[in-house]
């Protein structure tokens, strides 16, 4: 079967401003098993350029696939673009089947199947095995009701099969690296780069995060096998930077330290970038030299807030003293720290922003990333925000870099002023500028200067977009009215079983 994976272009600041692109790991991970099954598989990456939607559709049509598979790491913010491209593809290729997978369709399959008649099947949850079983069923003409983890239409109504089992061994499925030209992808200041994944899920219960719902539990790859894969990508394809997609790769201390030692043993001159919890950095204080030796240059630590009531609200399970100590330890080992601070909680005031700024300066992170609270429906936080008013109805702006919810005490323009003021104050204070001018570690010096160059472009871009491009409106619509009732795995698992046989025709003239 001719299968084409399509990565649509995304307008998010993180996609456009760096002028560097990372390959779509999620699509490549689903593609790998299909290549091994003998299918003719290609990737069309619209992020490279970016490609206009018209040209993207023309390229899909020119390749004449039997099956077009969409997915996007931007999740909700990428969904309107996927829907538009899928609509155009269906009009041009009426016989091709269209499949859509990822976090957003997993939790919005009912709405998508009702609103987007051009989407034939939705893959819910992990896609490696479900995608493989789906294609096998299509080729054999077998009913899709036998494939767990799918959603489709039966008698013009959306229905779903039972949830697919969680993948027990992540190493059973390989990434389809052969689908990309590594020379076209870069990060960290023009270095050849890829996204890699050591683990899935997170054992913690922060209610703004959907890791527990989507991945269900924390699992990890074999440390030695992943180290071999990184060594192969570095030596055979010249990849220098490995950006970890994991939310919390260090959750399992023993396998994580085994991975670091495996990388060190392979004597690689690589840059590793990832996210983790401040508590794990403090936990591993005696082993942080291994982090540095393995190649880690920066960790993003989701601190979200320096305010104790807010930390309790989002069930972060962290403490400011732990956050400060983690930053100090990383600096001691010449590893950059990035702290996130989230604006947009309902009761925030000018005083809260001022106190947050003072505490961020006291934390003294190397980099600060300001985000906006965004109530995605697959997170427990959604229930806390269901009755808040939406002021940004365009899902393409639900990317954590735009304010989407109204606040009780502050208009959007004043929130933006605080966010921009906090960013520039944290990054141009004397101590931060001294680090920009001089660092003894050449790789860290390069990373610091690259971040400042990119941050300067983002800072002005966000202000210009707020004034001239973003359309905010106050219609009184709440989050629940805008996105609908929360739909989670428990509700899906309890749905009545399907009894009718459903077959989807597909061209097999490849």
């Amino acid at each position: 079967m001719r299968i084409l994976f399509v990565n649509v272009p995304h307008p998010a600041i993180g996609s456009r401003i760096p002028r560097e692109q990372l390959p779509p790991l999620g699509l490549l991970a689903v593609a790998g098993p299909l290549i091994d099954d003998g299918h003719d598989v290609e990737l069309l990456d619209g992020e490279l350029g970016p490609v206009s939607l018209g040209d993207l559709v023309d390229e899909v049509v020119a390749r004449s696939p039997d099956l077009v598979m969409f997915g996007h790491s931007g999740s909700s913010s990428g969904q309107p673009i996927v829907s538009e491209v899928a609509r155009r593809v269906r009009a041009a290729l009426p016989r091709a089947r269209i499949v859509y997978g990822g976090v957003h369709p997993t939790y919005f399959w009912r709405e998508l199947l009702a609103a987007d008649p051009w989407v034939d099947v939705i893959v819910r949850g992990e896609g490696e095995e479900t995608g493989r079983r789906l294609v096998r069923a299509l080729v054999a003409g077998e009913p899709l009701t036998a494939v767990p983890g799918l959603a489709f239409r039966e008698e013009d109504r959306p229905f779903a099969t039972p949830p697919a089992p969680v993948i027990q061994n992540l190493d059973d499925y390989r990434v389809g690296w052969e689908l990309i030209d590594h020379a076209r992808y870069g990060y960290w200041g023009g270095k050849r780069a890829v996204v890699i994944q050591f683990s899935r899920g997170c054992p913690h219960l922060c209610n703004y995060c959907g890791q527990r719902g989507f991945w269900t539990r924390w699992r990890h790859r074999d440390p030695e096998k992943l180290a071999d894969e990184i060594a192969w990508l570095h030596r055979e394809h010249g990849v220098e930077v490995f950006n970890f997609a994991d939310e919390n790769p260090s959750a399992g201390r023993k396998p994580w330290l085994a991975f670091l030692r495996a990388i060190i043993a392979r004597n690689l001159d690589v840059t590793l970038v990832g996210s983790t919890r401040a508590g794990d950095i403090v936990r591993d204080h005696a082993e942080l030299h291994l982090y540095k030796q393995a190649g880690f240059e920066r960790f993003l630590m989701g601190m979200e807030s320096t305010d104790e009531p807010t930390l309790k609200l989002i069930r972060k399970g962290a403490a400011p003293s732990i956050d400060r100590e983690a930053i100090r330890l990383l600096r001691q080992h010449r590893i950059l720290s990035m702290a996130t601070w989230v604006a947009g909680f309902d009761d925030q005031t000018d005083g809260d922003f001022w106190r947050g700024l003072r505490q961020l300066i006291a934390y003294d992170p190397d980099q600060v990333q300001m985000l906006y609270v965004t109530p995605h429906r697959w997170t427990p936080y959604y229930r806390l925000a269901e009755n808040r008013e939406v002021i940004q109805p365009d899902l393409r702006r639900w990317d954590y870099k735009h304010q989407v919810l109204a606040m009780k005490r502050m208009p959007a323009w004043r929130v933006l002023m605080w966010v921009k003021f906090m960013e520039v104050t944290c990054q141009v204070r004397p101590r931060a500028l001294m680090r920009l001018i001089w660092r003894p570690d050449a790789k860290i010096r390069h990373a610091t200067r690259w971040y400042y160059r990119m941050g300067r472009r983002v800072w002005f871009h966000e202000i210009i977009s707020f004034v001239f491009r973003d359309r905010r409106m106050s219609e009184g619509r709440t989050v629940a009215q805008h996105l609908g009732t929360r739909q989670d795995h428990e509700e899906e698992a309890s749905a009545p079983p399907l009894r009718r046989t459903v077959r989807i025709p597909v061209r097999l003239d490849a």
Side-chain angles (χ1 to χ4, degrees), residues 123-317:
V123 174
R124 297 156 48 236
E126 294 175 299
E128 290 90 340
E129 182 60 27
T130 301
R132 170 181 270 175
R133 292 181 179 181
L134 165 64
V135 173
R136 287 173 179 171
L138 292 174
V139 170
E142 297 174 348
L144 297 185
T145 50
V147 181
L150 298 180
F152 41 82
R153 297 177 193 84
E154 182 185 18
E155 296 182 347
D156 295 325
R157 294 178 56 196
F159 285 104
T161 60
V166 172
I167 294 175
Q168 299 297 321
N169 185 358
L170 299 178
D171 291 298
D172 286 344
Y173 306 88
R174 72 174 186 88
V175 178
W177 295 118
E178 62 266 46
L179 296 181
I180 67 171
D181 177 1
H182 287 275
R184 303 189 69 188
Y185 295 93
Y187 186 54
W188 214 244
K191 297 184 178 183
R192 193 171 294 192
V194 298
V195 183
I196 207 80
Q197 190 176 47
F198 175 66
S199 66
R200 291 180 178 177
C202 181
H204 301 284
L205 297 170
C206 308
N207 66 16
Y208 57 85
C209 177
Q211 290 286 313
R212 287 286 289 265
F214 188 80
W215 299 119
T216 72
R217 63 184 179 83
W218 190 82
R219 293 152 288 150
H220 66 87
R221 290 191 56 186
D222 180 282
E224 295 288 339
K225 290 181 179 179
L226 181 58
D228 284 339
E229 186 172 345
I230 289 174
W232 175 77
L233 287 166
H234 176 63
R235 289 166 178 156
E236 297 298 323
H237 296 283
V239 178
E240 298 177 81
V241 180
F242 296 83
N243 188 14
F244 282 72
D246 315 39
E247 283 292 319
N248 193 9
S250 56
R253 186 173 185 270
K254 184 176 179 180
W256 179 241
L257 294 180
F259 166 71
L260 297 177
R261 292 188 174 98
I263 288 290
I264 294 168
R266 283 152 180 80
N267 192 29
L268 306 174
D269 183 18
V270 295
T271 291
L272 308 182
V273 185
S275 302
T276 191
R277 287 175 63 93
D280 289 1
I281 296 297
V282 176
R283 177 200 69 192
D284 293 342
H285 66 276
E287 288 84 17
L288 286 180
H289 63 285
L290 299 178
Y291 286 60
K292 183 64 177 179
Q293 291 175 24
F296 270 103
E297 292 185 24
R298 187 185 73 186
F299 275 105
L300 182 151
M301 293 177 290
M303 296 174 182
E304 283 69 56
S305 175
T306 55
D307 179 62
E308 291 280 7
T310 303
L311 291 173
K312 291 180 181 178
L313 172 70
I314 62 178
R315 297 175 64 182
K316 178 65 179 179

Side-chain angles (χ1 to χ4, degrees), residues 108 111 377 382 386 388-396 398 404-405 475 477-485:
F108 283 83
E111 290 87 347
R377 205 168 73 179
Y382 186 85
E386 278 182 320
R388 290 188 60 182
E389 181 186 357
V390 173
I391 60 172
Q392 179 51 266
D394 186 350
L395 274 183
R396 292 174 298 177
W398 286 50
V404 301
L405 301 179
E475 298 178 334
R477 287 174 60 84
T478 65
V479 171
Q481 291 170 334
H482 189 62
L483 293 182
T485 305

